[in-house]
Amino acid sequence: MVLCFLVHTVGPVSALSSGESRVLYSRAFGPDEGFRSERDRELSPDERRLLQKEKAAVVARQVRSAVALSREASDRQLVELMPGDEALALQEADSGVVRLRAGEPFSEETSALWLGVQSLGFTLVCEPHENLLLAEGTLRNLTRHCLEHLHMLGQGSEVLLRSNRIDALLSRLLPHGQLLFLNHRFAQSLEKEVLAYMAK
Ligand SMILES: *[C@@H]1O[C@H](CO)[C@@H](O)[C@H](O)[C@H]1NC(C)=O
């Protein structure tokens, strides 16, 4: 089960560690949408939204430092890519997993899988026993569709997010937070469906 998906900034390509991470999109899954503890369940909808935002911010911050560390360690020269370079951007993406301890910010331990694409982070938070290989494939596909159809490259932090489109992507590729095992034919028909929707 995936607990949440978020898109956030990880800092400009040229300046690795300055500034905060800004959450551009976040979506929680599950019957209680990541609210596991008794205390959380008694919250009003507004309080839940606020808490959800705080949790997303904690995850984004952790991933942001992981991305910065990974980039520092890899010592690769990052070049700023432009619209049209989506495939290359995905190929060159940094990736990793951050273990989030219980309470930081979810009540149970979780794994945050991330892809750092230029100045953006794409992150899936999974339960610890989740199939991480499948989760990574799903994260790559989600990221690919976001990059290709939502024109997210080359706009720095001004990236304009059409969140209803991401909602629609998630409902297909990650319905209710469930990772899908796709056979070839189903993957193809899903791909067509997404293309048709995104072309609207
Ligand atoms: C990702 O998309 C490709 C191409 O549609 C597909 O073959 C693959 O099964 C997908 N992977 C996952 C984990 O959804």
Side-chain angles (χ1 to χ4, degrees), residues 93 102 152:
M152 296 171 82

Side-chain angles (χ1 to χ4, degrees), residues 59-76:
V59 176
R61 218 160 29 233
Q62 299 254 24
V63 170
R64 186 198 160 94
S65 351
V67 174
L69 279 176
S70 153
R71 286 182 174 171
E72 257 168 51
S74 81
D75 211 23
R76 255 186 320 136

Side-chain angles (χ1 to χ4, degrees), residues 3-52:
L3 296 182
C4 75
F5 170 69
L6 45 147
V7 182
H8 52 97
T9 61
V10 292
V13 167
S14 46
L16 285 185
S17 34
S18 61
E20 271 286 286
S21 177
R22 204 149 60 84
V23 176
L24 303 171
Y25 174 91
S26 86
R27 169 73 189 278
F29 297 103
D32 47 6
E33 307 211 318
F35 294 98
R36 299 299 170 94
S37 73
E38 283 303 319
R39 189 174 60 88
D40 290 356
R41 269 194 287 272
E42 288 163 8
L43 298 175
S44 74
D46 273 351
E47 288 171 322
R48 281 183 175 222
R49 260 193 297 279
L50 199 66
L51 189 61
Q52 182 55 45

Side-chain angles (χ1 to χ4, degrees), residues 134 137-138 141 144 180 182 187 191:
L134 186 59
T138 304
N141 282 353
R144 176 166 54 86
L180 299 175
L182 301 181
E191 196 82 8

Side-chain angles (χ1 to χ4, degrees), residues 133-141 144-145 173 180-184 187-188 190-191:
L133 223 51
L134 186 59
E136 186 180 348
T138 304
L139 177 59
R140 281 192 180 269
N141 282 353
R144 176 166 54 86
H145 286 299
L173 300 184
L180 299 175
F181 275 108
L182 301 181
N183 66 32
H184 184 62
Q188 276 186 327
L190 197 62
E191 196 82 8

